[in-house]
């Protein structure tokens, strides 16, 4: 059934746009990855844009889910704010971070309105939103470079401003302006010209704007983008040609030396550092200045106390320390660009695929280090911020193996992991999903992992080890609630065994001892303790002493989990 065109923007249209944009980026992901040569030729721009948009779309779906199936639906402000927040917390890479700011800039205008205003957004407000998005994204980049997604966004806004009409008309003008500007990027950035490609981030933005056109008009736009701007483009309006000319005028003064200053021409920093940051505006201002002295490709987006920080540096530790000085950094990701000429866009010898790898979701930095030392590819999950399926697929790809064992380590992630496994299988990777429900079950599975065994035999042994491990966690109740062990109050210590509340107590160590005793009543040979940062310092020593005194044939191993959500994880094998 054909979609009925609509002339305004409301919450359902935002939902439709996010879904269409995610599909468009999914189809274009490999193409965009392949043309990614600036600022770093690491071949992940398409994937990063997809993951960023997936986070935005997931946040919008969550808002709609909160209203259930009733007649009432979220407001436009609810939808665009969720979209912007989802993109902010899920932003990946340089282009993904800029896309998050573009969506945030649009949301700031679209969510505005006079008190009590309930009318949907028309073409006039959409023009303002596109302009504010382009300007705010440019402001977020420490040293804007033309011939990038910033140029494409500005051209889209210029074309929209030069067009009168409803939302569909404005969106189409923005799409055409962006496409024409994208085709001109090789003439503005030398590294693109040498590689014979257009800017990868700009290519992704064109796909997102094409989805916006489709959301309004129901018409699927042509996604193919020419590499050069035709001299007399018949499909491009006069307003679009003027907008592109304006962009050329603005970049005319940019010399090749200026472009090289970003590090793409003469080599560059070794690490990409990304983290979310809780901090005030003044502290973020100082952070920008500090990071600007450490590296390049600096983008800081966000506001209202929550920011996404992206920078390329040689000293990753200093970049993180600067975040600590500014506020509270978390979801820290550090990527080593590797050896060779990744910053120059040159060819790198293809890395041979490993035969087998393990990909595991882990709840804290300490466990992430443990899993990585054991040879696994770790995906860090923060409390309340579970990874999306796209992030798991990216981790499977990063493992670069013919066979992958996937450990979700959380019952709530089973369906997400299953979706990721199916997508990876469609790409030709053999994936086995072991339904581990806790990180301690994952540790048990990883302990018996032998890559030299036949794949099926290895999976059976790992599954058996995980299934033979009972798991528990000790947490603090956030509010009053009915549990399987009775009524708990906010602040009570809860001991959960195999997912169910078994003990309610006032003290962390005493509750943990009770939980451990109950688990060992059924027998066991090895106790695994994963201690979180907020657990009492003495809890591990007390539990180890308890095992030595009361269970003579049982060994104990202790790991530090970092900020893992639970105060303590317990495994008994």
């Amino acid at each position: 059934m054909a979609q009925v065109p609509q002339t305004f923007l409301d919450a359902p249209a935002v939902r439709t746009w996010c879904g269409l944009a995610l599909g468009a980026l999914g189809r274009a992901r490999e193409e965009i990855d392949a043309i990614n040569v600036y600022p770093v030729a690491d071949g992940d721009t398409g994937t990063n844009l997809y993951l960023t948009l997936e986070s935005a779309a997931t946040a919008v779906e969550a808002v709609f889910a909160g209203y259930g199936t009733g007649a009432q639906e979220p407001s436009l402000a609810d939808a665009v704010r969720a979209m912007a927040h989802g993109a902010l917390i899920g932003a990946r890479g340089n282009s993904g971070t800029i896309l998050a700011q573009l969506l945030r800039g649009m949301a700031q205008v679209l969510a505005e309105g006079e008190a009590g205003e309930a009318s949907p957004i028309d073409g006039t407000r959409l023009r303002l939103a596109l302009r504010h998005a382009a300007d705010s994204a440019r402001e977020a980049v420490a040293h804007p470079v033309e011939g990038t997604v910033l140029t494409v966004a500005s051209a889209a806004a210029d074309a929209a401003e030069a067009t009168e009409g409803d939302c569909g008309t404005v969106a189409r003008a923005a799409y055409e302006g962006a496409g024409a500007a994208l085709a001109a990027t090789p003439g503005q950035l030398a590294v693109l010209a040498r590689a014979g490609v257009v800017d990868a981030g700009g290519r992704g933005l064109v796909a997102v704007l094409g989805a916006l056109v489709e959301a309004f008009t129901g018409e699927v736009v042509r996604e193919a983008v020419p590499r050069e701007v035709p001299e007399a483009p018949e499909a491009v309006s006069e307003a679009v040609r003027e907008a592109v000319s304006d962009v050329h005028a603005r970049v005319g003064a940019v010399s090749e030396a200026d472009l090289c200053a970003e590090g793409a021409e003469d080599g560059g920093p070794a690490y990409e550092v990304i983290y979310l940051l809780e901090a005030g505006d003044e502290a973020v201002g100082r952070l920008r200045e500090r990071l600007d002295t450490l590296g390049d490709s600096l983008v800081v987006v966000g506001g209202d106390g929550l920011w996404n920080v992206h920078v390329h540096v040689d000293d990753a530790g200093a970049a993180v320390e600067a975040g600590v000085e500014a506020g509270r950094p978390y979801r820290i990701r550090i990527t080593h660009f590797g050896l060779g000429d990744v910053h120059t866009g040159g060819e790198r010898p293809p890395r041979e695929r490993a035969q087998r790898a393990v990909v595991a979701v882990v709840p804290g930095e300490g466990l992430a280090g443990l899993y990585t030392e054991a040879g696994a590819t770790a995906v860090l999950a923060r409390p309340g911020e579970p990874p999306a399926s796209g992030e798991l697929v990216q981790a499977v790809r990063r493992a670069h193996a013919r066979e992958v064992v996937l450990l979700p380590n959380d019952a709530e992630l089973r369906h997400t992991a299953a979706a990721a496994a199916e997508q990876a299988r469609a790409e030709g990777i053999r994936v086995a999903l072991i339904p581990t429900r806790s990180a301690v079950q994952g540790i048990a599975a990883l302990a018996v992992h032998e890559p030299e065994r036949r794949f099926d035999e290895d999976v059976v042994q790992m599954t058996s080890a995980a299934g033979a491990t009972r798991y528990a966690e000790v947490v603090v109740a956030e509010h009053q609630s009915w549990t399987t062990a009775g009524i708990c109050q906010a602040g009570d210590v809860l001991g959960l065994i195999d997912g169910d509340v078994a003990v309610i107590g006032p003290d962390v160590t005493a509750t943990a001892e009770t939980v451990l005793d109950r688990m060992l009543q059924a027998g066991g040979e090895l106790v695994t303790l994963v201690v979180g940062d907020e657990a009492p310092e003495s809890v591990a020593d007390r539990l180890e002493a308890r095992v030595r005194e009361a269970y003579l044939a049982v060994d104990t191993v202790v790991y530090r989990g970092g900020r893992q959500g639970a105060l303590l994880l317990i495994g008994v094998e």
Side-chain angles (χ1 to χ4, degrees), residues 52 80 89 92 114 153 156 170 219 240 269 358 373 417 428 462 467 486 510 515 519 562:
T52 302
V80 295
I89 65 173
R92 301 289 193 277
E114 299 177 1
V170 172
E219 300 175 13
V240 170
V358 176
E373 289 175 7
M462 294 177 71
V515 168
M519 297 178 74

Side-chain angles (χ1 to χ4, degrees), residues 109-204:
V109 173
L110 298 176
E112 288 177 352
E114 299 177 1
E117 180 182 356
S119 58
I121 296 299
D122 58 11
T124 300
R125 186 74 69 81
L126 182 59
R127 288 197 298 271
L128 294 173
L130 289 166
R131 168 51 62 199
H132 184 62
D135 292 346
S136 62
R138 188 171 288 270
E139 292 171 1
V141 178
H143 301 286
V145 173
E146 303 299 346
T148 65
V149 63
L150 298 176
T151 306
V152 176
S154 293
D158 292 344
E161 286 181 331
T163 303
E164 296 292 336
D166 60 21
C167 283
T169 302
V170 172
R172 186 175 294 280
Y175 169 73
E176 292 176 351
L182 175 65
T185 56
Q188 300 163 7
L189 199 53
V191 67
L192 301 180
R194 286 200 300 271
V197 298
V198 296
D199 178 66
R203 171 67 183 90

Side-chain angles (χ1 to χ4, degrees), residues 171-523:
R172 186 175 294 280
Y175 169 73
E176 292 176 351
L182 175 65
T185 56
Q188 300 163 7
L189 199 53
V191 67
L192 301 180
R194 286 200 300 271
V197 298
V198 296
D199 178 66
R203 171 67 183 90
L205 179 58
V206 169
V208 172
L209 291 173
L212 184 61
V213 175
E214 185 178 352
F216 287 126
T217 67
E219 300 175 13
V220 180
V221 299
R222 180 175 58 88
E223 292 190 1
V225 179
R227 291 188 175 184
E228 296 180 357
V229 180
E231 293 184 4
E234 297 180 1
V236 181
S237 66
E238 183 64 31
V240 170
R241 284 197 292 270
E242 292 177 0
V244 174
S245 297
D246 181 61
V247 170
H248 283 308
R250 285 204 304 270
V251 304
V254 180
S255 68
E256 184 168 335
D258 293 330
L259 299 178
C260 294
E262 283 295 295
E265 307 292 311
D266 302 318
Y271 297 95
E272 178 183 60
V273 178
I274 305 175
Y275 50 80
L276 292 177
L277 177 70
E278 294 178 357
D281 291 357
E282 291 185 6
V284 170
R286 293 191 296 271
L287 174 66
R288 289 179 193 268
E289 295 177 1
R290 171 63 177 147
L291 293 179
D292 196 24
T293 66
L294 293 176
D296 59 30
S297 297
L298 173 61
V299 186
V300 181
V301 304
D304 302 321
L306 181 62
W307 309 81
N308 192 305
V309 179
H310 170 280
V311 67
H312 294 173
V313 294
D314 281 321
D315 189 345
V320 176
E321 289 172 4
V324 173
E325 293 174 1
R328 187 178 80 87
Y330 60 102
R331 291 188 70 171
I332 301 167
R333 300 182 187 88
I334 299 175
T335 303
H336 194 294
F337 290 127
L339 301 176
D341 52 359
V342 65
H343 285 271
T344 65
E347 293 291 331
R348 286 179 293 174
R351 180 164 60 97
E352 184 178 354
R353 283 187 178 274
Q355 181 59 34
R356 189 173 309 158
V358 176
V359 173
V361 180
V362 293
E365 297 93 339
L367 280 179
L370 173 66
Y371 273 74
T372 301
E373 289 175 7
T377 297
V379 179
L380 188 61
R382 293 287 183 184
E385 299 173 3
S389 62
E391 189 171 355
L392 298 185
V393 173
Q394 186 186 35
V396 170
R397 295 189 189 113
R398 193 166 67 246
H400 204 63
R402 299 180 182 88
E403 302 167 339
V404 172
V405 180
L406 183 56
L407 306 175
N409 290 341
D410 187 337
E412 299 294 328
L413 287 178
R414 183 169 183 177
H415 296 298
T416 300
E422 283 301 317
Q423 183 174 340
R425 291 182 189 120
E427 298 177 8
I429 304 171
R430 189 180 184 187
V431 181
L433 171 60
I434 298 178
T436 48
R437 294 172 290 175
S438 170
V440 292
Q441 288 189 324
I443 292 173
L446 199 56
V448 299
H449 168 56
E450 291 186 13
E452 295 77 17
R453 279 194 297 231
R454 289 176 47 251
F455 184 63
D456 291 339
E457 182 182 351
D458 196 29
V459 171
V460 168
Q461 292 297 324
M462 294 177 71
T463 302
S464 177
T469 302
R470 300 189 68 195
Y471 65 96
E473 60 181 313
V474 177
V475 299
V476 176
E478 296 181 356
H479 49 74
Q480 185 185 56
S481 178
W482 288 90
T483 76
T484 51
I487 301 176
C488 71
Q489 305 295 329
D492 283 347
V493 180
L494 308 181
L496 290 80
I497 300 177
D498 294 336
D500 294 323
V501 177
V503 181
I504 301 175
D507 177 75
V508 173
T509 302
T511 301
E513 285 184 341
T514 303
V515 168
L516 184 57
D517 284 339
R518 291 194 183 185
M519 297 178 74
L520 287 172
Q521 285 175 2

